Amino acid sequence: MGSPNQDTSKMRSELKELRRSRKEHISRINEHMKEQKRIIQQIKSAIREEPKTVPEIAEETSIEPPQVLWFLASLRKYGEVEEEAKKGDYFQYALVQSKSEEAGT
């Protein structure tokens, strides 16, 4: 067993090597996350003013309807959007207002 300084130095070099070897993978993951954030922002922007259906959102954002539905389901699960009244065969989706927005602050 080495001294604490040697152990720390070895651990640092191993972590550095791990980061280097996984750099490409981490970069791909970061790009994927950026793309997801961009899509979420587009969907939220589309329903900011008024509730819309999945086909309406898909048309406005040029995102495929199944992907729009997938993201809306996730946003609904985490309380960021809610289903509103049906319009034809489809539910409309609207942003959930936070308590501060409802109070007008």
Side-chain angles (χ1 to χ4, degrees):
M1 211 165 140
S3 72
N5 287 342
Q6 288 175 333
D7 292 341
T8 302
S9 177
K10 182 179 178 190
M11 188 181 339
R12 283 184 182 155
S13 66
E14 288 173 352
L15 284 172
K16 187 175 181 179
E17 177 59 28
L18 180 63
R19 282 188 208 103
R20 187 195 61 72
S21 69
R22 298 191 48 109
K23 186 176 184 177
E24 185 178 315
H25 178 71
I26 292 168
S27 179
R28 274 196 320 269
I29 296 292
N30 285 336
E31 289 302 315
H32 183 70
M33 288 173 52
K34 284 180 187 177
E35 177 66 9
Q36 285 182 332
K37 284 182 181 181
R38 186 186 65 77
I39 291 170
I40 289 169
Q41 286 306 106
Q42 283 184 298
I43 290 171
K44 285 182 173 182
S45 291
I47 60 176
R48 184 162 284 124
E49 298 298 321
E50 65 180 346
K52 293 184 180 149
T53 64
V54 170
E56 291 170 337
I57 296 167
E59 184 177 330
E60 185 174 324
T61 61
S62 300
I63 301 170
E64 293 294 320
Q67 193 173 23
V68 169
L69 184 60
W70 181 263
F71 278 96
L72 284 171
S74 298
L75 291 168
R76 184 172 173 248
K77 178 180 179 180
Y78 293 106
E80 294 189 43
V81 300
E82 60 188 359
E83 284 181 350
E84 299 263 317
K86 271 189 156 182
K87 183 177 182 182
D89 292 335
Y90 301 97
F91 282 103
Q92 293 178 313
Y93 292 88
L95 289 176
V96 173
Q97 291 187 344
S98 68
K99 299 293 181 196
S100 62
E101 289 174 355
E102 289 174 0
T105 55

